[in-house]
Amino acid sequence: MDKVLSFTRGRVPLLISMPHPGQHLTPAVRDGLVDEAVSLPDTDWHIPRLYDFADDLGASVLSAEYSRYVIDLNRPSDDTPLYTGATTGLFPSTLFEGDPLFKDGLAPSKEERATYLEQIWTPYHDTLRNELERLRAEFGYALLFDAHSIRGHIPHLFDGRLPDFNLGTFNGASCDEALAQRLDATCAAAKQYSHILNGRFKGGHITRHYGDPANHVHAVQLELTQSTYMDEFVPFHYRPDLAEPTRVVLKGLLEEMIAWGREKYGR
């Protein structure tokens, strides 16, 4: 494999994880995709650009380079389902709309997928875990913000239209409740956007697995509707006119996380 992730170490106890902006494909995946998947419609488009203020905040940033069509970094390695109803797995076989992802007989082999697990999934999670351990060792606690985006209307996955900001804390299990409420209040103050806490998206594997408030690791997922910063359909243009107001709210959320940590832990 070539470069499978990008990682920048920060100076505050916050790690921003971006598991789904990657666009790299392996030959087996590229050659097997149905025509509707070639444009990578289920990508978390432009997420690194949307959060490019992270360096100013001093946050660490971890971003995937390979597409979720190769392997989904926000699923457990044993592929245990995270949600009831329609969802996608560790090795996706369908598009978000429910249609097949691969042409008949052209899905990657079991051996190829084992390689993806070893050479893409494992390095991402090793880096994520090691950075959280470093932060906790240095500061006494660690904050994890798992950054995602999605089209606001996907009938196969959920009814109706999503709120703009979808915060998930695994129903309160992945972070301190006081932190969750502060983030919820930050979204509520942005009157031009709708929001929800622990709605359809409660946090995927990363939030659920690494969030451990009893041991001072607090994890939150944000699923952001793409209409708040981009065109949701091909060619998926980034829209600065939409993105700039959204970035103000995103930066506010991360500043609240950092401030909460300093207030609670004194550093």
Side-chain angles (χ1 to χ4, degrees):
M1 295 291 175
D2 55 6
K3 182 180 180 184
V4 300
L5 59 85
S6 295
F7 174 66
T8 302
R9 178 171 290 176
R11 59 185 185 275
V12 301
L14 171 64
L15 171 61
I16 304 172
S17 164
M18 304 175 180
H20 293 149
Q23 299 174 48
H24 292 180
L25 300 172
T26 64
V29 171
R30 182 191 63 231
D31 295 343
L33 291 177
V34 298
D35 291 345
E36 294 81 2
V38 171
S39 64
L40 309 182
D42 301 329
T43 301
D44 288 11
W45 291 100
H46 310 297
I47 288 292
R49 180 178 180 181
L50 193 66
Y51 286 85
D52 66 7
F53 53 79
D55 183 61
D56 294 337
L57 296 178
S60 299
V61 179
L62 174 62
S63 179
E65 297 290 338
Y66 272 83
S67 170
R68 69 189 303 158
Y69 291 166
V70 177
I71 188 168
D72 192 331
L73 301 177
N74 201 29
R75 297 294 184 269
S77 59
D78 64 2
D79 206 15
T80 301
L82 296 178
Y83 293 98
T84 58
T87 186
T88 56
L90 178 67
F91 300 108
S93 59
T94 63
L95 292 157
F96 282 179
E97 299 290 357
D99 300 317
L101 182 59
F102 295 102
K103 300 170 186 173
D104 288 345
L106 291 183
S109 68
K110 180 179 179 180
E111 293 74 21
E112 287 166 329
R113 286 176 165 172
T115 299
Y116 305 161
L117 182 63
E118 176 186 358
Q119 297 187 13
I120 301 174
W121 191 97
T122 297
Y124 191 92
H125 284 268
D126 284 349
T127 304
L128 197 162
R129 182 181 60 256
N130 290 340
E131 179 63 3
L132 291 176
E133 290 176 354
R134 182 191 74 83
L135 294 175
R136 192 170 63 164
E138 179 174 347
F139 295 96
Y141 67 102
L143 306 171
L144 173 61
F145 188 88
D146 206 41
H148 297 259
S149 72
I150 194 170
R151 296 194 305 279
H153 183 233
I154 305 178
H156 180 67
L157 295 183
F158 48 82
D159 295 331
R161 184 168 184 83
L162 283 176
D164 298 319
F165 285 74
N166 299 265
L167 294 166
T169 65
F170 195 28
N171 290 328
S174 69
C175 82
D176 189 292
E177 181 63 19
L179 172 57
Q181 291 304 316
R182 280 180 66 157
L183 298 181
D184 188 60
T186 299
C187 289
K191 301 298 186 182
Q192 69 271 43
Y193 300 106
S194 56
H195 76 285
I196 195 169
L197 175 61
N198 291 314
R200 169 60 177 82
F201 292 96
K202 303 178 188 300
H205 173 67
I206 289 172
T207 304
R208 302 180 191 199
H209 181 73
Y210 294 99
D212 185 5
N215 288 300
H216 313 296
V217 179
H218 303 272
V220 178
Q221 175 177 300
L222 176 64
E223 193 78 56
L224 181 69
T225 56
Q226 292 176 339
S227 61
T228 62
Y229 72 94
M230 60 171 279
D231 292 333
E232 290 189 330
F233 299 97
V234 176
F236 307 114
H237 286 311
Y238 186 83
R239 292 275 304 277
D241 58 318
L242 298 174
E244 287 309 308
T246 301
R247 280 160 53 88
V248 171
V249 183
L250 295 174
K251 188 174 182 181
L253 286 170
L254 297 178
E255 289 172 336
E256 280 295 322
M257 287 190 78
I258 295 168
W260 176 86
R262 288 174 176 162
E263 292 168 15
K264 181 173 178 64
Y265 293 97
R267 58 183 305 186

